[in-house]
Amino acid sequence: MSPSANSATELANVSYSPANFASIFAVLTTFASVIPSSISEPEELNGIVTSTESTDQLKDLSLNLLASALNRKPKSRLPEDQWSRHCAVLAAAYVYLLKGLEVPEEAADSLEGFVQQTPAVRVDFLYWLCEIALMDNSSIKHLVDTEAEKGRRATASNETASTDACLCRLQPFAEISKQRYWLFGSKTRQFYLESVSQKGKGRFELLAQTVDEFNSVAAELRSQRYHALKELADRLASEVVPYLEAQVKKRVRVEKALQRHAIANAHVHIYETRTRKRQRVNYCTDP
């Protein structure tokens, strides 16, 4: 299945690993309460890791992920001059995670040296920090354990957990014929297909992120021969599409309320202008 033609984001970007990029985005959106970040769309993250002009957002994101990897509190910002020391500590303990990643020594020497690296290095380094945070951050572990307990209770009571009430999955949404389907996002939903090659490398493709795109993907899945794909289409239609439709309606209500408020303020201004008491002007210039 090919990515949706309507999707603005293509993660099959040759400048960095699309699989690692998708993992970073999943961690940031799933654990937003633990890792401070304003990123809600893949385009935003892509803009940060590829920017060559302003690197302030990249620095903030990197320091937040480093703090999470060190199991620091979400609001405790690390000083930039401690970058090298903390990276050295993590590298000594998790050097095995760096295998296969494009991370030169300059990236860990200083924060300024890191932000001067290519997008490929930036993504691989941030991915490394995310992997450490998933393993060692106590707040993330608590969220995962809580979600796992919810899943066990839902299974025990033969109920399906609400898609909008739980964390997006750390496991694939579905796995069919060596292809994994992932659902990422907190207030949004992004649907990815991970195709695993014979060498074990994954390639992520964004399939859908809007209601129309999800409906299109579901229709295409229903047209396939395999029953598992048809079941996946039913899950998308019953779990994901209703949530996105509710989000769209909510956004429309908010926009209409803001518009009514703006119009009301404009009318008040016009009314006050037209009814303002005029003062007599003396045009005489003689003293």
Side-chain angles (χ1 to χ4, degrees):
M1 182 179 292
S2 60
S4 171
N6 296 326
S7 297
T9 303
E10 290 293 342
L11 293 187
N13 190 325
V14 295
S15 66
Y16 55 67
S17 167
N20 293 348
F21 177 92
S23 296
I24 297 168
F25 181 72
V27 170
L28 292 176
T29 54
T30 302
F31 303 107
S33 60
V34 178
I35 307 173
S37 171
S38 60
I39 296 172
S40 60
E41 300 292 341
E43 292 87 350
E44 296 172 347
L45 178 59
N46 180 73
I48 291 174
V49 299
T50 59
S51 176
T52 57
E53 298 178 357
S54 175
T55 57
D56 291 342
Q57 288 182 297
L58 179 60
K59 289 181 179 180
D60 290 340
L61 175 60
S62 305
L63 289 171
N64 288 337
L65 282 175
L66 179 59
S68 298
L70 294 168
N71 198 21
R72 300 291 182 89
K73 294 182 179 179
K75 295 183 179 180
S76 60
R77 178 182 172 85
L78 294 175
E80 293 186 16
D81 57 3
Q82 295 183 11
W83 174 269
S84 177
R85 179 168 64 87
H86 290 310
C87 287
V89 171
L90 293 178
Y94 301 98
V95 66
Y96 63 93
L97 290 177
L98 291 171
K99 185 178 180 180
L101 299 179
E102 187 177 341
V103 180
E105 293 182 3
E106 293 81 2
D109 287 344
S110 67
L111 182 58
E112 197 62 39
F114 166 72
V115 300
Q116 298 302 320
Q117 301 298 315
T118 63
V121 173
R122 294 175 179 180
V123 167
D124 279 4
F125 197 89
L126 296 179
Y127 168 77
W128 178 62
L129 293 178
C130 286
E131 288 296 297
I132 298 173
L134 287 176
M135 291 189 296
D136 277 4
N137 188 283
S138 58
S139 298
I140 290 179
K141 286 183 177 180
H142 175 71
L143 288 174
V144 173
D145 291 342
T146 301
E147 187 57 31
E149 180 63 25
K150 288 182 181 179
R152 286 192 292 268
R153 291 178 181 177
T155 302
S157 59
N158 197 25
E159 296 177 355
T160 302
S162 174
T163 304
D164 60 340
C166 66
L167 293 172
C168 281
R169 294 162 176 76
L170 297 179
Q171 298 296 324
F173 188 74
E175 187 169 359
I176 303 170
S177 301
K178 295 184 179 180
Q179 290 185 321
R180 297 173 180 174
Y181 296 86
W182 296 84
L183 189 66
F184 296 146
S186 53
K187 294 183 180 179
T188 60
R189 291 291 182 268
Q190 290 84 34
F191 192 50
Y192 294 91
L193 168 63
E194 180 189 12
S195 302
V196 182
S197 66
Q198 293 181 350
K199 295 182 180 180
K201 295 183 178 180
R203 180 176 181 270
F204 276 73
E205 296 176 327
L206 177 61
L207 300 181
Q209 60 182 345
T210 67
V211 174
D212 291 340
E213 290 171 1
F214 271 100
N215 285 329
S216 177
V217 169
E220 186 173 348
L221 290 172
R222 288 194 186 95
S223 67
Q224 305 299 315
R225 293 175 52 189
Y226 297 105
H227 181 68
L229 293 176
K230 298 180 185 294
E231 288 184 341
L232 176 58
D234 292 338
R235 289 186 64 192
L236 293 177
S238 62
E239 297 181 28
V240 182
V241 172
Y243 173 78
L244 289 176
E245 289 176 339
Q247 290 294 95
V248 171
K249 291 179 180 179
K250 181 179 179 180
R251 184 164 58 249
V252 170
R253 288 197 301 269
V254 171
E255 291 175 352
K256 287 183 177 180
L258 292 174
Q259 187 178 19
R260 288 195 299 269
H261 182 70
I263 293 175
N265 287 342
H267 285 170
V268 169
H269 175 71
I270 294 173
Y271 176 79
E272 290 179 348
T273 302
R274 291 179 177 176
T275 60
R276 186 179 296 132
K277 184 178 181 180
R278 298 181 181 275
Q279 301 294 327
R280 180 173 296 181
V281 178
N282 183 6
Y283 293 98
C284 180
T285 59
D286 295 335

